[in-house]
Structures are given as C-alpha cells and as structure tokens.
Amino acid sequence: MCLKNKEKIKKIAVLTSGGDSPGMNPAIRAIVRTAIYNKIEVLGIKNGYDGLINDWTIPLTSRSVGGIINKGGTMLFSARSEDFQKPAGRQAALKTLKKYNVSGLIVIGGDGTYRGAHALHNETGFSVIGVPGTIDNDIAGTDYTIGFYTAVDTAMQAIDKIRDTAVSHNRLFLVEVMGRHAGFIALASAIAGGAEDALIPETKTDIKELCKRLHEGKKRGKISSIIVVAEGDEEGNAIEIAKKIEKKGGYETRVSVIGYQQRGGSPSALDRILGTRLGNAAVEELLKGTQSAMVGIQQNKVVTHPLEMAWKEKKSINKTLVSLIGIMSV
Ligand code: ATP
C-alpha cells in the first residue's frame, strides 16, 4: 500500500448498480470497514447512479454495516439509471461527490455499471474502482463475480428437487436458468445438478443431436433426464426448446423456469469471502492512488485490470466443463 496517497483520501463513496446479487452486502461491509480501519469516512449512495445524481446519500459507519454479511440483495438498493447515461447526469453526480468532499467512488455491479464509472472518470477525472457484482459471471478479468456461486447453488437445489419428480414419473425436464447472454450459471448448475446437458449461448445447440443422445440414454436404461437451458440460448428459451424436442424427438417434456429466486438469498460462503476480499481490494486501490480500475480474482489472487476490459474482452466459457457434462451423462 502506498502511504503517500493514504494521507490525501479523507472520504470515499460506494454504490451498487444494475441487477442485485447475493454478496453485494459483504462487499459493502468490507469497503466500509477497510476504509474506517484506514481512518477514511464512507458515504453510501442509495439506488445506484440515480442516488448519486439526486443526492440520496447515507453516512456509513462500522456499525451500519453490522449484521449484513448474511443478507442477500443490497442494503444500498440498486437501480438502472437512464439519466447517468447522459453527460448532464454525470455532471450532477460529480456535484454530489464534490458536495461531500468525496475523493474516490467504488461501484459494485456489472459491465454496464463499469461503463458508467468509466464515462464519469473520462469526463471529470474522478477516481473510480469497479467491483464485479452480478450473478451472470460474464465479466472478463475475474474468474468469478460476486453472487455467481450463490445463484448456482440456488439453481442446483431447484434441479435436485425437480429430479425427484423426473425420476418418479420417468420424465424429461428442461430447467431454465438465468443467462441472457452467458451460459455460466447453466453450465455450472448442470454439472452440480448432474444434468444430461446444458444448452448455452456460447455453444451451438443441435436439437437433432440432442434427441439422438436422449434416445441412446434411454436405451442404456436412463429413466429420466434433466437438461439445463440458459434463457439466452440461440434455439430459444426452455419452453421453445421443449416444443422443438417434442416435435423432433417425440418426447413428452416438462419445463421449469427458476427465475428471480436465483438473484436472492443469503450469500454462500464463497460469495461472502469473495465480496470481502474484493471490497477490501477496492479501497486498497484507492489508497494506492489508482484512478480507474476494476478489481477481480484470478487463480485465487486479487488482481486489477482496466475497467474497459469488461466490455472489450468477452469472457469465454470453460470448454473442459462443456466436455465434462458429456462424459458424465454416459
Ligand atoms: P447486470 O449485469 O446485473 O445487468 P449491469 O451493471 O451491467 O448489471 P446495467 O443496467 O447494464 O447493469 O448498467 C447499470 C447502470 O450503469 C445503467 O442503468 C446506467 O445508469 C449505467 N450505464 C450503463 N451503460 C452506461 C454507459 N454507456 N454510459 C453511462 N452509464 C452507463
């Protein structure tokens, strides 16, 4: 840590933006306590960038973040702000930051949140650090985003329950999980839930081939099957794919859409630890004098990258995990 900058920073601000994710609260707690440990005050901004524009603020103390490590959602609330996408909105945001003598802003959210922070920094020179908080895990520069593994646990538990019915009634179930543009949740929950396949936007979905494999599985004595579908698969959502399977393969199918429960719930141990490590790292970056960056975790080490990495680089799916599903469904 560079102590020379430590003297300069008296106050920082934190906000959560975009979709909420379990683990945002542990990250807020870590930011507040790391700052206070370093004798820095913290201003909480409510409702994401809208709160910054409209001066919806709350001073955060060590005590105000007590008892939140196990809570899902975000104590600062989250929002998607249209106004912040315009330069006038960002100027209003700067006014609020100046009013409270804040010298660094930490944003917890997804790539859209990073774009906003990047725009603010580019236009005003204000120091910004991004912390990856989204269940989708679709941010390059970090192996995991905060909330991902809790969402995977939730999806896995739902798959476990659906399996009971699938087995009892010899049925083919399609379970739809979140992931409009990315299949990380689908892939991980399919492996953890022992599904036959994960249909994801990153790989080509071949319905004919899928029906063939289901048929072969039946011949080998499989009495039920579960297929996990990412909502953004190129063949459609789970309901649309189920219809195609019924038409092409003659199977009777059942569909279960897990939905918003994947975003909620108490954060898993992994997400609490990740939120704590990345929240701490974000404050450390401001103390070092970093003016614009994102923090992430790679190979179990905290790393930093330019914010632009989140939208300039596409995070690729782990191909080994894709093949693993095939091997496990033999
Ligand atoms: P999630 O992955 O959960 O969707 P996200 O951070 O990507 O999270 P977005 O709704 O895309 O969610 O972005 C959050 C907010 O960031 C937007 O509502 C907007 O205020 C701001 N934002 C997004 N893109 C830009 C941009 N290009 N310029 C300025 N602000 C932006």
Side-chain angles (χ1 to χ4, degrees):
M1 189 195 306
C2 169
L3 292 174
K4 103 179 167 300
N5 288 296
K6 198 172 164 180
E7 311 306 330
K8 290 186 202 160
I9 297 179
K10 297 259 186 315
K11 197 187 268 189
I12 62 170
V14 57
L15 61 81
T16 48
S17 155
D20 66 311
S21 72
M24 281 182 161
N25 278 329
I28 295 167
R29 173 180 176 270
I31 288 164
V32 172
R33 295 207 170 156
T34 303
I36 288 168
Y37 180 84
N38 285 285
K39 311 224 170 343
I40 296 167
E41 285 178 56
V42 186
L43 188 70
I45 313 289
K46 288 183 180 174
N47 299 79
Y49 291 124
D50 274 345
L52 207 48
I53 292 169
N54 296 299
D55 193 358
W56 298 329
T57 59
I58 170 180
L60 294 175
T61 65
S62 206
R63 292 279 56 81
S64 45
V65 293
I68 63 164
I69 197 163
N70 56 337
K71 300 272 194 290
T74 158
M75 69 167 285
L76 290 175
F77 311 112
S78 191
R80 301 190 198 269
S81 166
E82 275 185 29
D83 289 343
F84 197 75
Q85 303 209 21
K86 300 170 199 141
R90 296 192 287 272
Q91 284 305 323
L94 181 69
K95 212 170 140 197
T96 304
L97 290 164
K98 280 190 171 163
K99 176 181 166 188
Y100 292 98
N101 291 319
V102 170
S103 38
L105 172 68
I106 298 174
V107 298
I108 309 171
D111 65 314
T113 299
Y114 285 12
R115 281 175 198 263
H118 185 254
L120 179 72
H121 174 73
N122 271 3
E123 285 166 11
T124 66
F126 202 84
S127 298
V128 290
I129 305 290
V131 175
T134 167
I135 62 165
D136 294 330
N137 199 28
D138 57 348
I139 296 185
T142 186
D143 291 344
Y144 306 111
T145 55
I146 298 167
F148 169 65
Y149 265 114
T150 306
V152 171
D153 280 343
T154 303
M156 178 194 74
Q157 283 157 20
I159 293 167
D160 287 350
K161 288 177 183 166
I162 288 162
R163 179 177 295 283
D164 292 345
T165 303
V167 171
S168 304
H169 291 270
N170 296 3
R171 272 195 181 137
L172 169 61
F173 260 91
L174 272 80
V175 181
E176 184 181 296
V177 299
M178 282 185 165
R180 266 177 296 152
H181 308 290
F184 294 99
I185 297 177
L187 191 54
S189 61
I191 292 178
E196 313 304 315
D197 211 341
L199 310 185
I200 57 175
E202 294 88 343
T203 58
K204 191 180 163 359
T205 298
D206 184 338
I207 305 281
K208 213 169 138 194
E209 175 62 28
L210 176 64
C211 292
K212 197 172 139 214
R213 279 193 290 118
L214 286 170
H215 189 64
E216 282 163 3
K218 219 172 178 181
K219 278 207 284 190
R220 287 196 309 273
K222 281 206 174 185
I223 54 165
S224 66
S225 293
I226 292 177
I227 294 169
V228 179
V229 181
E231 60 185 330
D233 186 78
E234 78 279 9
E235 281 291 336
N237 61 28
I239 295 171
E240 289 159 344
I241 292 179
K243 280 186 191 143
K244 291 181 185 178
I245 292 176
E246 289 192 356
K247 204 169 161 205
K248 285 214 170 103
Y251 286 96
E252 192 188 338
T253 58
R254 291 287 183 274
V255 174
S256 180
V257 180
I258 305 181
Y260 275 96
Q261 58 174 308
Q262 287 160 94
R263 288 248 293 260
S266 178
S268 67
L270 272 176
D271 279 324
R272 294 182 200 191
I273 295 166
L274 187 59
T276 303
R277 289 181 77 183
L278 296 186
N280 166 266
V283 179
E284 296 282 349
E285 282 308 307
L286 286 176
L287 290 174
K288 274 189 214 166
T290 303
Q291 297 193 344
S292 169
M294 63 163 276
V295 292
I297 193 121
Q298 287 178 314
Q299 297 179 343
N300 204 22
K301 287 200 171 60
V302 172
V303 292
T304 59
H305 293 290
L307 281 170
E308 303 96 290
M309 194 173 188
W311 61 93
K312 286 192 175 157
E313 258 184 50
K314 188 166 164 55
K315 187 175 188 176
S316 49
I317 212 94
N318 186 338
K319 294 259 166 63
T320 322
L321 295 185
V322 177
S323 349
L324 204 52
I325 296 190
I327 297 169
M328 291 303 126
S329 65
V330 71

